[in-house]
Amino acid sequence: MSDTAVATEKPKTSFRGSGGVRGWFGRQPGWVRAVVALAAAALAFLLPYVGDIPLIGPQLITEGIDWPSALFNMSYYVLLALGLNVVVGYAGLLDLGYVGFFAVGAYGTAILTSKDSVLYSHTGWAWLAAVPVALAATMLAGLILGWPTLRLRGDYLAIVTLGFAEIIRIVATNTQTFRGDRGFTGIPHPPGTWNGKVIFGVTDAIPYFWLGLVVIIAVIFGVRNLDRSRVGRSWLAIREDEEAAEIMGVRTTKFKLWAFSIGAFIGGLGGVLFAGEQGFINSSTFVLQFSILVLAGVVMGGSGNMAGAILGGALISYIPDRLRGISVGGTDLYEYRFAMFGVVIIIIMILRPQGLIPSRRRAMELKDRAKEVAPL
């Protein structure tokens, strides 16, 4: 009996991690973890004022774009990384067309609210009223994409999802309803006033960042609960071996559609926030390069781990924005942002293939594989 108890305890200790920050955090009681999480959230809300820190602050804030706007950019990139992490990291479904859901959320908001829309005479909604409809449209788009691709895996699934994003971009470019490069103007901002002043205006991006941060926190709680539920365990089984999962009774069709629709919902959240802050969208925003960049952020940060997805999403937004306005020998480094970003990804994948903050399971898998191929 004691041998059995010891055998069952060892994997648990190994999985939680015995060292490092995550190992320490995982061993703390619930109230300690809650306090640490609240402190981290409070520090995140203070990020707009990091430039006031002597010596360190001026080195961190962006120069070619105002710092609050850069923070808002990071917020919707983080949302996209969290959504794509559900599809790729949890369910193991390679999606190269994730920008399509971002576009559906943004266009859904624009069509219902912009004066340039053919539906404006019938709708003319406020931003907040359009959000539920736009998000429902993105979830429907996720189901439409997921249903025909249920039997596809790997490269074949990636090609189909890539085609999905390109179809949306081409339709948006070439149809009169979506106005192509002319786009939609006058998209209303989120509502709210304080002391008689509009909160979400055009001069200060801090409220938009705070709104994005609130949405990110809500998404983290939702995805975390899903990951620890039957849905998360089913995603894990599908990612590890879909055929074995189906044999063991996992309804793979249902849970793959769950992954696509939830990932689409989170991507749509990023789209409605983007449209509400910019006030203008057009088809040139939603290019394939966007999807590849978000996928690179998820892989670089640590696929299958929310902390890794958050870090990766923040970095793919922060690094290009930080390079704006920096010149070396008369050359603006922003022009070479993707080349530099590619070099960084290559170095990380060589030195740390599991990502900067990998999931414990993924890190253990790579460690075991390294032992298998290690020379005797």
Side-chain angles (χ1 to χ4, degrees):
M1 184 71 178
S2 60
D3 294 340
T4 304
V6 171
T8 56
E9 286 296 323
K10 284 183 178 180
K12 181 178 179 181
T13 304
S14 174
F15 186 78
R16 289 178 67 89
S18 57
V21 176
R22 273 197 303 176
W24 172 86
F25 186 76
R27 292 191 298 272
Q28 302 307 306
W31 69 269
V32 174
R33 295 199 298 270
V35 168
V36 173
L38 288 174
L43 290 175
F45 278 98
L46 294 176
L47 280 176
Y49 309 104
V50 74
D52 297 331
I53 301 175
L55 299 178
I56 300 176
Q59 307 304 319
L60 295 177
I61 63 174
T62 54
E63 297 179 5
I65 178 175
D66 68 285
W67 178 235
S69 295
L71 287 173
F72 173 74
N73 292 343
M74 280 189 271
S75 69
Y76 70 77
Y77 268 99
V78 166
L79 271 176
L80 294 174
L82 286 171
L84 187 58
N85 188 53
V86 171
V87 181
V88 176
Y90 291 156
L93 306 171
L94 184 56
D95 188 349
L96 292 182
Y98 194 68
V99 69
F101 302 129
F102 181 67
V104 171
Y107 271 106
T109 305
I111 288 175
L112 294 173
T113 61
S114 174
K115 293 181 179 180
D116 297 327
S117 171
V118 295
L119 299 179
Y120 182 77
S121 59
H122 304 287
T123 55
W125 294 358
W127 179 86
L128 191 60
V131 168
V133 179
L135 294 180
T138 57
M139 293 188 72
L140 179 61
L143 293 175
I144 292 173
L145 173 63
W147 184 261
T149 60
L150 288 175
R151 297 187 178 276
L152 299 179
R153 303 174 190 173
D155 299 340
Y156 300 100
L157 177 61
I159 293 172
V160 172
T161 54
L162 186 153
F164 165 76
E166 283 298 288
I167 289 172
I168 290 179
R169 184 187 65 81
I170 292 171
V171 169
T173 301
N174 297 323
T175 57
Q176 183 66 27
T177 302
F178 296 101
R179 296 179 57 83
D181 290 334
R182 293 177 298 163
F184 292 91
T185 61
I187 300 172
H189 301 296
T193 57
W194 178 261
N195 291 333
K197 296 182 179 180
V198 175
I199 297 176
F200 298 95
V202 296
T203 58
D204 187 7
I206 293 178
Y208 294 100
F209 167 66
W210 285 341
L211 176 61
L213 199 55
V214 170
V215 174
I216 288 171
I217 292 172
V219 168
I220 289 173
F221 275 105
V223 173
R224 177 177 175 272
N225 289 336
L226 280 173
D227 183 39
R228 298 188 175 190
S229 69
R230 179 186 176 189
V231 176
R233 293 191 294 272
S234 299
W235 285 341
L236 174 62
I238 292 171
R239 186 188 71 190
E240 296 298 324
D241 192 327
E242 184 176 341
E243 293 181 353
E246 195 164 3
I247 292 173
M248 295 300 294
V250 176
R251 298 173 63 183
T252 56
T253 297
K254 171 184 175 180
F255 291 108
K256 286 170 72 174
L257 290 176
W258 263 85
F260 273 115
S261 59
I262 291 171
F265 177 84
I266 299 173
L269 277 173
V272 297
L273 288 176
F274 176 79
E277 193 270 345
Q278 293 288 322
F280 169 79
I281 62 168
N282 64 3
S283 59
S284 62
T285 306
F286 310 103
V287 294
L288 177 62
Q289 179 178 287
F290 202 99
S291 289
I292 304 301
L293 194 61
V294 176
L295 179 60
V298 172
V299 175
M300 180 179 66
S303 180
N305 184 26
M306 277 195 294
I310 291 170
L311 177 61
L315 287 177
I316 60 176
S317 175
Y318 173 75
I319 292 175
D321 284 344
R322 185 65 184 87
L323 293 175
R324 291 177 186 264
I326 299 178
S327 298
V328 176
T331 302
D332 189 356
L333 293 182
Y334 183 73
E335 298 179 2
Y336 298 93
R337 62 193 184 279
F338 293 117
M340 298 174 67
F341 191 69
V343 171
V344 171
I345 292 176
I346 291 173
I347 293 173
I348 291 175
M349 291 298 99
I350 293 174
L351 300 179
R352 196 169 176 82
Q354 68 270 38
L356 296 174
I357 310 178
S359 66
R360 296 185 182 94
R361 186 179 299 274
R362 178 64 175 164
M364 292 172 63
E365 289 174 356
L366 290 174
K367 186 176 180 180
D368 292 339
R369 292 176 186 174
K371 290 180 180 179
E372 292 175 359
V373 300
L376 298 175

